[in-house]
Amino acid sequence: MLDRVLLFAVRQRVFVVLLAVALAAVGVFSFTKLPIDAVPDITNVQVQINTQVQALSPVEVEKLVTFPIEWAMGGIPGVEQVRSLSRYGLSQVTVVFKDGNDIYRARQLVAERLLEAKEQLPEGIGEPTLGPIATGLGDIYMWTLEAKGPKPDGTPYSLVDLRVLQDWVVRPQLRTVPGVTEVNSIGGWERQIHITPDPVRLRSYGLSFRDVVESVAANNANVGGGYVEHRGEQYVIRSTGRVESLEDIGNVKLGVHDGTPVLVRHVAEVAEGKELRTGSATVDGEEAVLGIAIMLLGENSRTVSKAVDDRIAGIRKTLPEGVEIRTLYDRTWLVDATLRTVRNNLFEGAVLVIVILFLLLGHVRAALIVALAIPLSMLFAVAGMVRTGISGNLMSLGAVDFGIIVDGAVVMVEHILRRLGEAGHSLGRAPTRAERVSLAYEASREVARPVLFGVGIIMIVYIPILTLSGIEGKMFRPMAEVVLLALAGALILTFTLVPALIALLLGGRVSEKDNAIVRAAKASYAPTLDAALRRPALVVGAALLLLVGTGLLAGRLGSTFVPKLGEGTIAIQPARMPSISLTRSTAMEGLLEKKLLAAFPDEVEAAFARTGTPEVATDPMGPNVSDTYVILKPREGWKKARTQEELADRMAEALKSVPGQAYEFSQPIELRFNELISGVRSDLAVKVFGDDLEVLRGFAGKVAGILGGISGAADVKVEQVTGLPVLTVEVDRSSIARYGLNVADVQEVIEIALGGREAGEWIEGDRRTPLVVRLPERIRNDLDALRNLPVPVLQQESAEEAPGDGGPTTGGPRSSPSRPSPASRSSRARTTPCASRCATRCSPAPWPNDSEYAMKYTEKQVFEIGLPGAREA
């Protein structure tokens, strides 16, 4: 087989050269399609299920939302692990599949089970959604919107205004960029229209929070009436009823009191407000609006990052005057730096090999023929990488050794040169073309088998790496595959292109003499070899001593899974007390960033952070945790450190002056990988499972104590699972039973008044602003005012019941009928509101022509608000 290949190569040498040119063209084209990133993507196949849950404590989120979803995911084919996270406002369940599963099939299986899980969730508690199709390398581009001047009307831009621009100008345009699966937002406040009723006014008109919600929702809609034909034309019928201004909302009718219509503006204030946010962002110590572009799984991060950057440049032209977009993090920076490192290493290695070939072979054209195998074998490997889906990164490309690649070609060329030189010496003239072709064939036949075995043995060394699985396989298997592809390409070129080019290009007489370098090497080697052969015992003993000595030294060396890639960005994760508010945590994060900028002006270019959970919960955190990104300047200008690790240690020392925080230092990609793979943000994590949380905390503390005693262990800590203060509203069931109330009646008041409830949307062009009914902030933060919230009571009252007594003659309240609409209720009854808590039921005037039922609104003490000692995570 090899003989026929070699004979074909030397006889059809022009055709073989053309095939090599075609290979080069295919390789160059494939290089444009090669996915490029800084490091291999080691994220496992996983699907996230996020459920936004409002107004529930973490324990309730776990019981009512997380557990049913997690339970439903059991038994899905190919699932390796199911883990979950329950926080205020969020339930996240992560379903991890075994390697090799298709992500889209995995999402389909999870979506099918999610339909079953939704039936087990309480109504109206939240809608589970699948997370974006992304991995640990997904956060490729981050930016902030900054106000550089006032608005056209002269007023300054607020964080609400910037968030509106982010959500309705920037985000829609970036979501259309090919390769972007999601655009996330954090910071500022989502714009809302707040309808904030005054409880005293509501009570005076006999209204409730539900009345406001229902009335606003009922008076904010457009309807259609089909069409009519008129004089040969067809008119589509539509009725416009949506609110178009704050004044329209204030004029919504709630009911009638003493013959006078009661409007929203009579009992509530209508104004723009802010959401109850779960996350914030800071840039250089000041609050800001942060945007994040998330890359679709499997895309080329360098290409997508550049496309996002180009679109950002176009978006700048569409922003209003006084607002600018500032790029904070661009994956292209890291990828380009990595590519420069790989390119320089490959180029320098190739040049070194070529120089050595020139010096040792002593023949320029022969050295060029061997050197040609380097780029062609790499282009062959690139074509194979694109075909097999291997990305180009520091691990896959940086491990290529050109010395190994050209080993077979060097042996082939050197032997053919020797045979040509011997033939010229014996013939006394230069071989003819036919003789040169014959000699090239014969010489290549003589070394073909040794070359095949030599390169084959090198390739066999890499085969065990192909058997690695898990994270190890994702990290090192691409490296072995690329090296094997390059060696296979070099072997093919050695048996085809090298003989063909020698037969085609090497004319004239070929010298078989050694050059000066080779002669000098032989001159020094010969006496050394002679001395070694005369004293074999001494040489073997010295070799054994050297082996033992190096073995002892190797035992004292440290080891690591893989050297850390310097990303050019430091990620600092400060952790604060669990009970801290988001506002206070944001302020402390601002102090941290300002400290870094002041202490390291020559090293730090920018500092920004995400605190809490963003809108799309790809990276859920509590308000006590921040992800701080420290963008570094070029290392040439550093003055306080020489390496990134040393700079991180200096930063840790400097931040000790900022109290109330514990720090963990890492890098953005490294931090994200750790979190997605294991659910924690550390290199090593020990999880303790059980039923009793207090017992688990005790064991976790013992584990942390043992790990902290290990040499080299740093930032050992136990994840906080308690300490979050909870304001508990405990319903007095005996009291609500006396007044004919259900628990849901009391909880509805709490939900609307404190948490807020949407009553529709205000649509302005393509922008949608929620209409939210809730208490004003001055009342929401007043515990005494919350205790006095009026609860509407719907009771049955017999006609024989004496007015003003403590209850009906039957001995207690009857079951409640259906609640009338606000307008009909207000027009049928005049309610005498209570000015203070009532010890007994109030007696309003009965409705005309109604001898059996009476709707009564009164203020009753039916619940208690307290701060119990128990705290939840």
Side-chain angles (χ1 to χ4, degrees), residues 185 230 718:
S185 301
H230 179 68
V718 178

Side-chain angles (χ1 to χ4, degrees), residues 228 272 304 503 540 568 654 839:
V228 295
E272 293 188 9
V304 178
V540 173

